[in-house]
């Protein structure tokens, strides 16, 4: 053989799949103890995520808070929870893989079943699966001319953890019925041994003031740190936050006529960053004496370079499930949330909220939906994780039976660069090269050929081409004439 090869091997971690799944979890309330249901708030949290052969199993806890009007018209609440476990199948899964799962309560529906109220919640799961992979690349090919380049190789590192956030404040209300909240990560950085996470909790309180429901909004900043033994160097990370549990203790100060609120939120985090290594890779090769069969490997990833934050005010006509007219007095727009999908230049979706209103002396409710489309400017690379929180919703009747709404969206986006590296993984000899015996040849190149393309076609090293044709400028126009000298072998 005229060539011999040497290899460089190692392992790295990559994301191999993103699995999305939906399931329905039901919680039953006794209808004998509950009057007319006015609002329901589902809170879902993850408890486990395990990957097996062909299947990922995830479990969690769903807590539903139901607000109802009793026989006297007073608003009361009742809360129940349920554990659940579901699975999603994918043939590529194996026990050695690791899954990062994010759960969301996508929809909640209340229905009567005899003497019971049944709350059916659609729980959505998004699971990123990571696996270890072997990396084998050519390090040397003796007997061949090589094209080398410096490139960055990446390996994904995942992390997860929990943190507690506390806050206390006064609100102009007598009681809190439902605390609903969304957490956004606004910045995330690795340092040796830990990951630092900065963000905000967007809190919406459905409360009671003067016997009537009101909605109070508050933004609570947080700074959390979770341990990560694999973190060595400073890196930007992509991270998601979920509220695993939120508890509110309310105490009334009768002298001030205010309610003191003590809030404790248990946050869960999961995310990833990329370790990088700069190495010399072989992009291409050829041999003057032998035909080579080349094998290539390609790696792609999207490391986060920055987390960008947007604040957008949206407004417009909104849809309501109930028929509303001027006999309806709007009281509160509670539990706002956003459903969205990526568009070509941003996101589009709708903001939903539960509108509580009074009609003929009774409190009723209906779901309100405000569509939106937001352009995300200034993204320099690929768009990674996107989080959206709603900062308050205002609803009014523009005309009888016609409502319009206004809301502020807080959006966080992981701005990622697309890293793609292609390198030679193997080279085998597959025949001899038919060589030209003439001492001098004139070669007419193709337009656009670079130095390496020309050298490969002429089976000479780039240094030889430049030494014998010093006036050439690459890329070529196609009008050049290249002289190829072949010294006579003794």
């Amino acid at each position: 053989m005229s060539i011999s090869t040497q290899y460089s091997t190692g392992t790295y971690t990559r994301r191999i799949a993103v699995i999305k799944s939906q399931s329905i979890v039901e919680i039953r309330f006794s209808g004998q103890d509950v009057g007319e249901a006015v609002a329901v708030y589902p809170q879902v949290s993850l408890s486990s995520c395990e990957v097996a052969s062909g299947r990922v199993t995830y479990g969690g806890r769903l807590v539903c808070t139901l607000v109802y009007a009793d026989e006297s018209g007073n608003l009361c609440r009742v809360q129940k929870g349920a554990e659940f476990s579901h699975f999603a199948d994918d043939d590529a899964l194996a026990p050695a893989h690791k899954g990062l799962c994010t759960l969301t309560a996508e929809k909640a529906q209340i229905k009567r079943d005899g003497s019971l109220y049944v709350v059916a919640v659609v729980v959505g799961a998004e699971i990123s699966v990571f696996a270890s992979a072997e990396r084998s690349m050519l390090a040397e090919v003796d007997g061949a001319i090589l094209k080398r380049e410096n490139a960055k190789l990446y390996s994904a590192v995942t992390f997860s953890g929990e943190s507690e956030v506390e806050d206390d404040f006064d609100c102009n209300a007598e009681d809190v019925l439902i605390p609903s909240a969304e957490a956004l990560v606004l910045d995330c950085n690795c340092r040796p041994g830990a990951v630092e996470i900065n963000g905000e909790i967007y809190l919406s309180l459905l409360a009671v003031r003067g016997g009537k429901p009101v909605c109070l909004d508050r933004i609570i900043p947080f700074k959390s740190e979770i341990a990560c033994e694999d973190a060595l160097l400073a890196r930007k990370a992509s991270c998601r936050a979920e509220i695993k549990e939120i508890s509110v203790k309310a105490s009334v100060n009768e002298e001030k006529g205010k309610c003191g609120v003590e809030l404790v939120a248990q946050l869960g985090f999961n995310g990833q960053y990329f370790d990088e290594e700069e190495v010399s890779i072989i992009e291409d090769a050829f041999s003057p004496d032998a035909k080579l069969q080349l094998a290539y490997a390609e790696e792609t990833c999207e490391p986060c370079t920055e987390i960008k934050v947007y604040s957008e005010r949206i407004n417009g006509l909104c849809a309501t499930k109930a028929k509303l007219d001027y006999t309806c007095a709007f009281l509160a727009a509670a539990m706002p949330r956003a459903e969205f999908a990526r568009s070509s230049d941003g996101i589009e979706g709708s903001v939903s909220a539960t509108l509580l209103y009074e009609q003929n002396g009774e409190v009723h409710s209906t779901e309100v939906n405000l569509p939106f489309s937001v352009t995300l400017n200034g993204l320099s690379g690929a768009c990674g994780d996107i989080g959206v929180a709603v900062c308050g919703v205002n609803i009014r009747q523009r005309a009888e039976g016609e409502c319009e709404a206004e809301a502020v969206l807080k959006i966080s986006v992981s701005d990622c660069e697309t890293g793609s590296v292609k390198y030679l993984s193997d080279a085998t000899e597959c025949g001899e090269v038919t060589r030209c015996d003439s001492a001098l040849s004139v070669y007419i190149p193709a337009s656009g050929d670079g130095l390496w393309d020309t050298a490969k076609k002429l089976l000479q090293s780039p240094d030889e081409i430049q030494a014998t044709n010093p006036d050439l400028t690459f890329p070529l126009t196609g009008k050049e004439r290249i002289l190829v000298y072949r010294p006579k072998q003794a």
Side-chain angles (χ1 to χ4, degrees):
M1 291 182 64
S2 60
I3 68 165
S4 63
T5 54
Q6 298 177 30
Y7 300 88
S8 173
T9 60
T11 60
Y12 69 104
T13 302
R14 63 191 179 97
R15 185 168 65 181
I16 63 169
V18 177
I19 302 171
K20 295 184 179 182
S21 176
Q22 286 183 323
S23 55
I24 296 178
V25 182
E26 292 186 346
I27 294 182
R28 298 173 178 267
F29 294 88
S30 173
Q32 296 176 350
D33 301 327
V34 177
E36 180 184 351
V38 175
V40 63
Y41 178 67
Q43 179 70 52
V44 65
S45 61
L46 180 72
S47 58
S48 64
C49 179
E50 297 181 358
V51 182
S53 295
R55 173 169 291 184
V56 56
T57 303
Y58 58 93
R61 177 172 176 79
L62 175 69
V63 176
C64 281
T65 305
L66 183 67
V67 172
Y68 63 94
D70 63 13
E71 295 179 353
S72 303
N74 298 318
L75 294 180
C76 309
R77 75 167 187 165
V78 62
Q79 191 176 76
K80 288 186 71 175
E83 306 285 340
F84 65 89
S85 179
H86 297 292
F87 62 86
D89 290 337
D90 191 302
D91 293 337
L93 300 180
H97 297 167
K98 182 177 183 179
L100 292 182
C101 181
T102 301
L103 298 180
T104 53
E106 298 182 355
K107 292 182 180 179
Q109 183 179 14
I110 307 174
K111 56 184 178 180
R112 272 282 196 179
D113 184 10
S115 61
L116 300 175
Y117 273 116
V118 179
V119 179
V121 180
V122 177
V123 176
E126 183 175 317
I127 306 155
S128 294
V129 182
F130 295 83
S132 179
E134 297 290 332
R135 175 186 288 144
S136 178
M137 62 175 64
L138 279 176
E140 292 290 345
V141 185
D142 294 332
I145 298 171
L146 308 178
K147 182 183 181 183
R148 292 185 179 272
E149 291 289 345
N150 289 331
K152 290 182 180 179
L153 298 179
Y154 294 91
S155 181
V157 181
T158 61
F159 59 87
S160 60
E162 295 184 4
S163 177
E164 190 173 87
V165 177
E166 298 181 357
D167 191 29
D168 58 87
F169 54 92
D170 291 335
C171 67
N172 189 14
E174 293 108 38
D175 193 13
V176 175
L177 299 173
I178 296 179
S180 62
E182 188 78 27
L184 282 189
V185 173
L186 306 183
D187 196 18
C188 184
N189 296 281
C190 300
R191 61 173 180 79
V195 179
E196 295 179 346
I197 305 164
N198 293 280
E200 292 176 340
I201 296 173
Y202 304 90
L203 179 67
S204 177
L205 297 178
L206 177 58
V208 177
R209 181 194 299 156
K212 300 292 180 66
V214 294
C215 189
L216 306 172
D217 301 309
R218 184 175 177 85
I219 298 176
I220 304 169
F222 67 84
K223 183 176 183 179
S224 302
E225 182 178 294
I226 60 175
C228 181
E229 294 181 356
D230 296 324
L232 298 175
L233 302 176
R235 291 283 186 271
K236 185 69 69 174
S238 175
C239 181
R240 291 185 177 184
E242 70 164 350
I243 296 179
K244 300 181 72 69
E245 186 178 350
I246 186 168
S247 63
V248 168
K249 293 182 180 180
S251 57
V252 178
N253 187 325
E254 294 183 356
E255 294 181 359
K256 294 183 178 180
K258 291 185 178 181
C259 179
V261 176
E262 295 180 4
L263 178 140
V264 179
Q266 194 73 25
L267 302 183
F269 303 100
N270 66 63
Q272 66 180 47
Y273 66 92
F274 286 86
D275 275 337
E276 64 180 52
E277 178 186 8
E278 188 164 344
V279 298
S280 174
I281 63 170
I282 301 176
E283 287 190 334
D284 201 1
F286 69 89
S287 171
D289 304 312
K291 294 179 181 178
L292 300 183
Q293 182 175 336
L294 305 178
Y296 294 88
E298 188 170 7
E299 299 177 18
T300 59
C301 67
E302 294 180 349
C304 178
T305 57
E306 185 181 0
I307 296 179
K308 294 190 174 179
V309 182
Y310 302 82
S311 183
E312 296 284 339
R313 184 176 298 275
I314 61 171
N315 58 74
L317 292 176
C318 55
T320 61
K321 288 190 174 181
K323 186 176 181 180
L324 304 175
D325 54 33
Y326 283 144
T327 64
C328 303
F330 294 177
L331 302 174
M335 299 169 293
R337 60 185 302 269
E339 294 181 1
F340 65 93
R342 298 185 186 183
S343 61
S344 59
D345 57 356
I347 59 172
E348 56 185 22
S350 65
V351 169
S352 61
T354 299
L355 173 63
L356 284 77
Y357 61 95
E358 189 175 45
Q359 188 177 35
N360 300 323
E362 297 180 346
V363 176
H364 302 280
S365 66
T366 185
E367 183 179 326
V368 176
N369 288 279
L370 172 64
F372 67 84
S373 179
V374 174
T375 300
L376 301 177
N377 295 315
L379 294 176
S380 58
C383 188
D385 289 338
I386 300 179
V388 180
V390 184
C391 308
V393 178
N394 295 314
I395 304 172
R396 67 183 184 90
Q397 289 197 65
R398 190 171 72 170
E400 189 166 21
E402 189 175 277
C403 296
E404 67 178 10
E406 181 182 64
V408 175
L409 301 181
K410 200 68 174 283
I411 306 166
S412 69
V413 183
S414 297
D415 193 9
C416 305
E417 66 179 9
T418 301
S420 181
V421 179
K422 186 177 181 180
Y423 53 83
L424 272 180
S425 59
D426 200 6
T428 55
E429 190 174 338
C430 58
E432 294 184 359
V433 171
T434 303
R435 300 185 63 88
C436 179
D437 294 331
S438 60
L440 176 64
S441 298
V442 178
Y443 172 69
I444 302 174
S447 176
D449 277 358
L451 176 58
W452 176 260
D453 303 313
T454 305
K456 191 173 182 180
K457 290 176 181 178
L458 298 180
L459 298 178
Q460 289 193 337
S461 71
D463 291 341
E464 289 178 305
I465 297 297
Q466 287 189 316
T468 55
N469 299 271
D471 296 331
L472 289 179
T473 302
F474 296 93
L476 302 175
T477 64
K479 298 178 181 180
E480 297 87 351
R481 299 297 181 263
I482 301 176
L483 299 181
V484 182
Y485 297 94
R486 300 180 182 88
K488 186 176 179 179
Q489 301 294 328

